Amino acid sequence: MQTIIEPFRIKSVEPIRMTTREERERLLREAGYNLFNLHADDVIIDLLTDSGTAAMSAQQWSAMMQGDESYAGSPSFERFEEAVRELMPFEHVIPTHQGRAAEKILFEVAAGEDALIPNNTHFDTTRANVESQGAEAVDLVVAEGRDPKREHAFKGNIDLDRLAELLEENADRVPLVMLTLTNNSGGGQPVSMANLREAKALCDEHDVPLFFDACRFAENAYFIREREDGYAEMSIKEIVREMFSHADGMTMSAKKDALVNIGGWLALDDGTWAQEARDVLILTEGFPTYGGLAGRDLEAIAAGLRGVIREEYLEYRIASTRYLGEALTEMGVPIVRPVGGHAVYIDAKAMLPHVPPLEYPGQALAAALYEAGGIRGCEIGSVMFGRQADGSEQPADMELVRLAIPRRVYTQSHVDYVIEVIEQVNDRKDELSGFEITDEPPALRHFTAEFAPL
Ligand code: F0G
């Protein structure tokens, strides 16, 4: 069959409040032109993030009723641990309230002031957690991964030559190497099995452990099956297990590929680090059999992990993101190619060449998409990265607008509507002008800054 359908029926619905263009112009003005300041009720299609926004299955909702809320020794923890270890057979599994809590604990245990942490590309919370220990976060993604137009099957790969060089010179300063699957900051691009295997071999040579930031592991496994020789006949579960056979540990935001609204974990083989991590966990998250979560959350994760590796689910998931990306490419809207797993990234610098980087073309495009159709995306460009530690302002490498697709939430007609809105905006893109920032906090300004149109 040509048509890939949503492989589920819908049992419970949430109404969408429709708004008019006039209303949206007013609402955006009142929000200081910052989409984070909008009420979610005033958004028609919310593509701000794929994190914590998934629709859960009937199996997950019913599993939640099995949640055991005992402080210690909950059977829900055992079911959670078993589901994690079925895919990622690490010795120690430590639940946390979300991904960044696992990162904070890992780097508190593993990284000192002098440490270097290589990664393909650190996600912003990962980088912030490395830096808050006084350590240095080093991004080593392959050159293809930094060029939006370049077609390449595995643009999330780490540059093995540069990793080898760094380990050759500085292995004593590297407590661990990380790989982000898929590479979110680089466009949701996958890492190949060959790259994981070779990175692990390099780490072994220098006796340095390899950790995965594994938020989107199932989407990464699906890309391996589609694109890498030798994997076409394997099940997703087999591929996932092979991926994790190359790792010594992982951090996870369950808000992505565990198909839940909150949760995460740290898993690892090293007993000494695990003990230290549990000691920190008790201080900040909770007892080791619940971490920062309720028993029912652990049940939802266990059921989510069984659902996310279903072939039909992943086929639909990757096809629905590709469907949006291919439609934009066909109408001549420049995007990061090839289309990634969880989001389509529009290249606002290429689309609005008349808006200079420090007049924020990504912000201009994101605002226009909201005014035209109530779509909320996220600027990833000079608003997010432009302000430097010394107070100066530098253009970011790329000016992107990310349209992240929540899992199992929107149907094909929602996506067709998004395509139509983008077409309208694209038709009058020459009329769009930039913004200036009128108010900004000292750090992470994209969340709360206010803007005025130029
Ligand atoms: N690592 C990656 C690659 C992520 O994409 C995220 C979150 C995290 C770690 C942190 O996990 O939110 O559970 O603490 N990404 C979200 C996003 C916020 O919109 O891309 P968390």
Side-chain angles (χ1 to χ4, degrees), residues 48-51 98-101 103 123 125-126 180 182 184 213 215-216 253-256 263 342 402:
L48 189 62
T49 181
D50 65 318
S51 180
Q98 63 185 88
R100 65 198 71 183
E103 294 161 10
F123 180 66
T125 60
T126 324
T180 306
T182 58
N184 183 11
D213 173 350
C215 302
R216 299 174 180 88
S253 168
K255 302 171 74 171
K256 285 80 167 175
H342 67 294
R402 183 181 79 168

Side-chain angles (χ1 to χ4, degrees), residues 157-212:
N157 283 355
I158 194 164
D159 186 327
L160 294 163
D161 293 336
R162 292 175 67 204
L163 178 62
E165 204 175 299
L166 186 142
L167 288 171
E168 215 55 67
E169 288 168 10
N170 282 304
D172 54 328
R173 288 178 60 196
V174 181
L176 60 96
V177 173
M178 248 190 154
L179 281 174
T180 306
L181 320 175
T182 58
N183 191 21
N184 183 11
S185 308
Q189 301 291 331
V191 181
S192 71
M193 192 73 84
N195 196 253
L196 297 180
R197 193 184 307 120
E198 285 162 42
K200 172 66 173 153
L202 276 175
C203 288
D204 282 350
E205 260 175 53
H206 296 274
D207 216 9
V208 170
L210 178 63
F211 274 65
F212 294 164

Side-chain angles (χ1 to χ4, degrees), residues 20-315:
T20 63
R21 181 172 182 113
E22 289 68 39
E23 250 181 288
R24 292 191 295 269
E25 285 174 359
R26 175 178 58 75
L27 290 163
L28 191 60
R29 194 168 54 244
E30 289 168 4
Y33 294 92
N34 187 332
L35 299 161
F36 284 98
N37 289 340
L38 289 169
H39 288 287
D41 279 350
D42 297 331
V43 175
I44 295 178
I45 307 282
D46 203 345
L47 307 183
L48 189 62
T49 181
D50 65 318
S51 180
T53 51
M56 292 209 297
S57 65
Q59 286 88 341
Q60 286 177 285
W61 281 110
S62 57
M64 286 181 81
M65 284 303 289
Q66 306 289 331
D68 179 294
E69 305 302 342
S70 306
Y71 190 92
S74 161
S76 295
F77 173 75
E78 280 163 26
R79 286 189 281 269
F80 158 79
E81 188 186 40
E82 190 189 332
V84 172
R85 291 175 69 183
E86 180 82 21
L87 296 175
M88 302 125 180
F90 295 112
E91 200 68 35
H92 307 278
V93 182
I94 299 172
T96 59
H97 78 275
Q98 63 185 88
R100 65 198 71 183
E103 294 161 10
K104 166 131 198 334
I105 293 171
L106 174 64
F107 294 120
E108 198 169 324
V109 166
E113 281 213 350
D114 195 37
L116 290 175
I117 310 288
N119 201 328
N120 43 1
T121 312
H122 287 84
F123 180 66
D124 56 11
T125 60
T126 324
R127 170 173 286 279
N129 276 306
V130 169
E131 291 174 351
S132 78
Q133 298 300 324
E136 192 182 329
V138 187
D139 291 342
L140 298 177
V141 74
V142 289
E144 291 87 347
R146 283 177 274 122
D147 179 353
K149 288 185 290 294
R150 189 94 164 261
E151 294 279 349
H152 185 279
F154 292 102
K155 285 173 87 168
N157 283 355
I158 194 164
D159 186 327
L160 294 163
D161 293 336
R162 292 175 67 204
L163 178 62
E165 204 175 299
L166 186 142
L167 288 171
E168 215 55 67
E169 288 168 10
N170 282 304
D172 54 328
R173 288 178 60 196
V174 181
L176 60 96
V177 173
M178 248 190 154
L179 281 174
T180 306
L181 320 175
T182 58
N183 191 21
N184 183 11
S185 308
Q189 301 291 331
V191 181
S192 71
M193 192 73 84
N195 196 253
L196 297 180
R197 193 184 307 120
E198 285 162 42
K200 172 66 173 153
L202 276 175
C203 288
D204 282 350
E205 260 175 53
H206 296 274
D207 216 9
V208 170
L210 178 63
F211 274 65
F212 294 164
D213 173 350
C215 302
R216 299 174 180 88
F217 71 92
E219 293 169 8
N220 200 95
Y222 189 81
F223 281 122
I224 288 177
R225 202 177 68 170
E226 280 206 320
R227 297 180 183 173
E228 193 162 351
D229 282 348
Y231 291 94
E233 303 303 323
M234 279 171 72
S235 71
I236 295 296
K237 185 171 171 180
E238 287 167 325
I239 296 174
V240 169
R241 288 182 65 105
E242 185 177 330
M243 284 161 56
F244 284 91
S245 74
H246 299 304
D248 300 286
M250 66 180 294
T251 56
M252 177 73 187
S253 168
K255 302 171 74 171
K256 285 80 167 175
D257 271 354
L259 298 173
V260 295
N261 306 116
I262 195 71
W265 66 86
L266 166 66
L268 68 174
D269 286 330
D270 186 283
T272 312
W273 277 3
Q275 189 49 49
E276 286 171 29
R278 288 196 183 98
D279 292 344
V280 181
L281 188 85
I282 289 179
L283 276 185
T284 58
E285 294 279 298
F287 192 75
T289 56
Y290 69 85
L293 296 169
R296 58 178 169 272
D297 298 324
L298 297 169
E299 298 279 359
I301 292 172
L305 287 176
R306 285 190 286 275
V308 78
I309 56 167
R310 279 179 58 216
E311 319 269 323
E312 313 85 79
Y313 162 74
L314 283 169
E315 181 187 27

